[in-house]
Structures are given as structure tokens and as C-alpha cells.
Amino acid sequence: MDAYSELVRRLRAKERTLRLFVEHTPAAVAMFDRKMRYLAVSRRWLEDYRIGDRDIVGRTHYEIFPEIPARWRDIHRRCLAGAVESCEDDFFERADGSIDWVRWRVLPWHDKDDQIGGIIMFTEVVTERKRLEERLRQSEKMEALGRLAGGIAH
């Protein structure tokens, strides 16, 4: 095998390893190029955003989610210009009108020439946690109201 063929073989092996790593990571993560085309995506991303097992690599994020509001497109533009943005509690309205709460971080990635090659998005759907926190708050309010009423009665 000549040196060129060996180099190509090694590069392909590294690419497969990286793709497997991203696909199987337990986090919802997606990597995009400068035109917001998917380069790699985790299975968790596909599950959390109800994409199923469709192959979305090469398609743009806006093709997959045409309903994305302007504020998200602005976040993408800022990150493609070098910003790093994140939020602990943000809502995501789905096409069917349902709302999920997410924690997210968006940051640029750099190519070998240190130019921004695109962005990486990490997200975690925290809707269930938000529901449990709200139930706890309601329970604590009711408990405090009960103590107040009990104190007044005495």
C-alpha cells in the first residue's frame, strides 16, 4: 500500500470513529457547517427533536425545522461569527404547538486554518424537570398556606 492510500485509510478510520462517537454520545448534540447543514448528529438529538431515524446529514437545520423563530436564527448567526451562547431554561415550541423546555449551548468550531467552520449545538430537554419543580413549588405553597391557616385558627 502506498503512502497516499495509507493516509486515506487512516483518515477514513478517524472519520468513522468520530462519527460513531457523536452518534452514540448520550447527549443531544449536532454539528453544522457555515450554511447550517448537518455534519454529524447524535441519536439523542434525533430522539429529542422527534426526527426519528431519518438521515439528515447534509440537509440544513432550517429544512428540518422550518418553524424555527428568528431569535434562534440570530443566535446561529452570532455563533457563526464567533460568539458562544447558552441558556439554562428556554422554551422550544414544536411544530405541533407543544412546548418543551431546554438547556442549550451553541458554540463555533474551527477548522485547521483556525477559521470558523460552523457551530456545534448541545441541548438537553428539561421539560420533566420543570414540571416536577413546578409541582414542588405548588406543594410548598399549599403547605405554607396550610400552616398559615392553622396558625390563624389558633
Side-chain angles (χ1 to χ4, degrees), residues 13-28:
K14 283 185 177 189
E15 180 183 5
R16 277 192 306 276
T17 301
L18 179 60
R19 191 167 302 278
L20 284 170
F21 175 76
V22 171
E23 285 177 10
H24 294 283
T25 189

Side-chain angles (χ1 to χ4, degrees), residues 5 11 33 35 46 52 64 87 98 109 119 126 130 142 146:
S5 297
L11 286 173
D33 68 10
K35 294 183 179 180
L46 298 173
I64 304 300
C87 183
S98 64
W109 61 268
I119 60 175
V126 293
K130 293 282 285 180
M142 295 303 287

Side-chain angles (χ1 to χ4, degrees), residues 51 109 129 147:
I51 297 169
W109 61 268
R129 187 198 77 202
R147 280 195 306 259

